[in-house]
Amino acid sequence: MAALSVDHYERMLDLAVLALREPDPRRLWDPVVTELLKACGGEFLFLRRDGPACAGGAMRFWSADGAAGADVEAVRRHLHRACPLAAHYATTGDRTPRTAADVLGDREWGTCRTAELLRTALGADHLLGLPLTDAARPFRAFLICRSGPAFTAAHLAYARRIQPLLAAVDRQAELLERCRTTGATGEAGATGAEGGGTAGERPPGDSAHGDAARPGGARPGDGAPGDGTRPGGDLTPRELTVLGLLGDALTAAVIARRLGISVHTVQKHIQSVYRKLGTRDRVATVLLAQTHGLIPPPAGGPGPGRR
């Protein structure tokens, strides 16, 4: 494959922003995973998810060529039960992207049951772990399988760089899953007791999702750091326009052409938006803006939490 470049990161950045607009948590990951496999030269990818049940099951699977078979199910069960990378992350609290060979050592990795199963079932030789959650949340991680040459230092650097983007997408997936579950429970409760308060109903204005799912624990009505007002209240009309175009997953160059201004000016607007919203990257900014109604939410997804 071609050497990793800034274009790989830019493509993943754009896909991560698009993923925030996908209302179905089962489809949210597909374009992101396709790009991740391509960039890392992987053939198979598993999403391991511990904790509460998630849409698609506790261990999801993708392949570069779309193939799947009975052998994949055996690998899926093994990686959920006895993955050496998951054991490492669980015991150390480390959340750095690592290869199994790095964690176990080349010799031990080459002779362990996981490596043997990957070789015989998938024809893969190497395993890369890319955690999506910090140590305080149930463990979720991508496990990427690759045949032939080992993952390189460039692959690991790329994984570290995109890790915050993928973590933001994972939080969005978790939010959508929680909203679907809570919404179904609420509808059932309301149906069972028409005309009266029920456990399934919410107080007027209460959001359908928990505070923990919002960036930085933000609540509707919370302001930008230190100003005590609603986030975005001090954005200029041009900054709001740029923010909306960021939500459409447009690059700075495309935004500049659309608005008839320079890329440098667009970047200045973006940095000003980050500063005023208290965010650090595009994904977190779009997610926060959707949460507070500054830009439209994903079609069919949870709406902004308004008070």
Side-chain angles (χ1 to χ4, degrees):
M1 61 166 284
L4 288 166
S5 68
V6 68
D7 290 340
H8 289 90
Y9 177 75
E10 291 290 342
R11 282 198 296 272
M12 184 61 79
L13 177 61
D14 290 341
L15 288 171
V17 172
L18 283 173
L20 295 179
R21 305 182 69 82
E22 170 57 58
D24 187 345
R26 294 165 297 185
R27 299 175 53 191
L28 180 147
W29 282 117
D30 293 346
V32 172
V33 165
T34 298
E35 175 63 24
L36 182 56
L37 284 170
K38 180 179 178 182
C40 291
E43 288 95 15
F44 303 95
L45 183 146
F46 296 85
L47 173 56
R48 172 175 169 144
R49 306 186 291 183
D50 296 346
C54 304
M59 179 73 77
R60 293 189 62 187
F61 164 78
W62 292 264
S63 67
D65 60 6
D71 289 342
V72 168
E73 186 57 35
V75 176
R76 190 202 308 253
R77 289 195 302 269
H78 175 83
L79 290 178
H80 189 257
R81 183 180 65 252
C83 175
L85 280 173
H88 164 77
Y89 290 127
T91 56
T92 65
D94 177 27
R95 290 298 183 266
T96 306
R98 295 187 181 277
T99 65
D102 176 46
V103 169
L104 298 179
D106 289 330
R107 184 169 183 176
E108 184 177 348
W109 163 246
T111 58
C112 76
R113 171 58 181 157
T114 301
E116 178 185 352
L117 185 58
L118 292 184
R119 284 193 298 268
T120 57
L122 304 180
D125 305 294
H126 310 284
L127 184 66
L128 169 64
L130 201 170
L132 301 173
T133 55
D134 58 32
R137 298 170 60 209
F139 180 68
R140 294 156 75 111
F142 281 135
L143 302 171
I144 308 168
C145 306
R146 172 184 168 98
S147 62
F151 290 102
T152 66
H155 290 133
L156 290 170
Y158 171 75
R160 289 192 296 270
R161 189 174 184 190
I162 67 171
Q163 190 176 26
L165 300 178
L166 300 185
V169 175
D170 181 68
R171 288 193 296 272
Q172 176 74 350
E174 193 173 38
L175 168 63
L176 290 172
E177 290 161 357
R178 185 182 299 124
C179 285
R180 284 189 166 214
T181 302
T182 306
T185 303
E187 289 173 7
T191 302
E194 293 183 10
T198 71
E201 295 177 332
R202 304 186 197 290
D206 197 15
S207 173
H209 41 74
D211 293 332
R214 300 187 178 95
R219 298 178 182 85
D222 282 350
D227 69 2
T229 62
R230 177 178 175 173
D234 56 347
L235 291 175
T236 67
R238 179 49 61 94
E239 288 167 349
L240 285 169
T241 299
V242 171
L243 177 59
L245 295 174
L246 288 178
D248 290 334
L250 300 184
T251 64
V254 174
I255 294 174
R257 289 197 298 271
R258 182 167 295 188
L259 299 180
I261 58 180
S262 70
V263 173
H264 176 69
T265 300
V266 172
Q267 294 290 6
K268 287 180 62 178
H269 286 315
I270 292 174
Q271 291 304 316
S272 179
V273 170
Y274 288 174
R275 177 176 55 79
K276 291 179 179 180
L277 295 184
T279 53
R280 296 183 178 181
D281 58 58
R282 183 185 301 206
V283 174
T285 300
V286 170
L287 185 57
L288 182 65
Q290 289 174 345
T291 300
H292 289 281
L294 298 175
I295 60 176
R306 296 185 176 90
R307 296 291 185 188

